[in-house]
Amino acid sequence: MMRRAFSSFALVAACAVSSPAFAATTIDFEATSQGPKAEGFSATGAPQLTFRSASGSGLEVGNFTPQTAGNGLAVFPDTGNYLIGSFATTVDFMSLMFGNDDPCCSQPGDRALLKLFLGSNLVGSNFVGLNRNDILDQSVSFGLIGGGLLFDRFEFSYANASGAPINLIETVDNITFNTAISAVPEPATWMMMLLGFGSIGFAIRRRKVAINTVSHNLA
Ligand SMILES: [Ca+2]
Ligand SMILES: [Ca+2]
Ligand SMILES: [Ca+2]
């Protein structure tokens, strides 16, 4: 019984020290159909990130080049409405490109503001000053791959230096993020590990039998 208990402990300890695995995903919206989108929609091929807007409407996928690169996501209209993204699991890094930084409707010093949350807690934020050329040629990012600071939601807005949203349509494209797959092995992996441990025990027992046999022969 003691040996069995120790084996279980060793298995748990081995899993506890294994670092979480992360998977990188980039959403370019090229496979996503154009047109207005419902709150909570996700891009084709990336169901692990769903989009909403602060006002509850105004999301649209379209080819707004050069404010996007091919298809991108816009948050209409020209108001303080902004983009909210929710991840199905925790994420430790994300970046996105933004356009429509239109000089018509922004001021020098206005910024692209990215806020990150874990549950209801603000984890951190980052911003990049708009170059105001109305072209998708800047990006904003947050986090560090494998850095351990995790979040599961973001807010993205065009804002003034005080962080208040300005009246401008956000367009985003090429959203990249690293999603924590899991720090705990999948059931199939558990089964393989258990089988592996059993095989090792069986191999050790067989070796002992073999050694004993040799000893008997020598005697
Ligand atoms: Ca695109
Ligand atoms: Ca806006
Ligand atoms: Ca720009």
Side-chain angles (χ1 to χ4, degrees):
M1 284 303 292
M2 278 300 289
R3 284 194 59 174
R4 178 170 293 183
F6 177 76
S7 295
S8 299
F9 173 77
L11 196 60
V12 170
C15 295
V17 298
S18 66
S19 57
F22 290 87
T25 301
T26 297
I27 297 174
D28 63 10
F29 296 101
E30 299 313 305
T32 304
S33 62
Q34 298 180 352
K37 295 297 176 184
E39 296 291 305
F41 93 98
S42 58
T44 299
Q48 65 272 47
L49 174 57
T50 54
F51 300 102
R52 291 181 292 125
S53 67
S55 74
S57 66
L59 299 180
E60 182 172 334
V61 170
N63 185 341
F64 305 106
T65 304
Q67 289 94 347
T68 55
N71 281 1
L73 176 60
V75 187
F76 287 93
D78 274 317
T79 64
N81 195 17
Y82 57 85
L83 180 64
I84 300 170
S86 297
F87 298 100
T89 58
T90 52
V91 166
D92 68 351
F93 171 85
M94 72 165 288
S95 71
L96 59 79
M97 294 198 74
F98 55 87
N100 197 45
D101 46 335
D102 197 321
C104 77
C105 312
S106 62
Q107 302 295 322
D110 287 345
R111 53 185 60 172
L113 176 61
L114 184 64
K115 293 181 177 178
L116 298 309
F117 300 83
L118 183 61
S120 58
N121 296 321
L122 179 67
V123 169
S125 65
N126 191 20
F127 69 86
V128 172
L130 302 177
N131 63 14
R132 303 179 61 230
N133 63 358
D134 205 18
I135 294 171
L136 182 101
D137 61 353
Q138 291 178 285
S139 65
V140 61
S141 63
F142 183 88
L144 185 66
I145 296 172
L149 185 60
L150 303 177
F151 49 93
D152 60 11
R153 182 165 53 92
F154 74 84
E155 294 182 358
F156 176 76
S157 62
Y158 291 150
N160 62 24
S162 301
I166 61 175
N167 295 329
L168 183 56
I169 296 164
E170 290 83 359
T171 61
V172 301
D173 206 343
N174 298 329
I175 303 173
T176 295
F177 54 93
N178 287 281
T179 304
I181 297 171
S182 176
V184 178
E186 298 291 317
T189 309
W190 272 102
M191 188 56 70
M192 286 179 67
M193 288 178 70
L194 288 168
L195 287 171
F197 271 71
S199 299
I200 291 167
F202 180 64
I204 290 170
R205 281 195 297 277
R206 279 191 64 180
R207 188 152 180 267
K208 277 185 175 176
V209 169
I211 289 167
N212 288 341
T213 306
V214 169
S215 300
H216 283 299
N217 286 347
L218 285 173

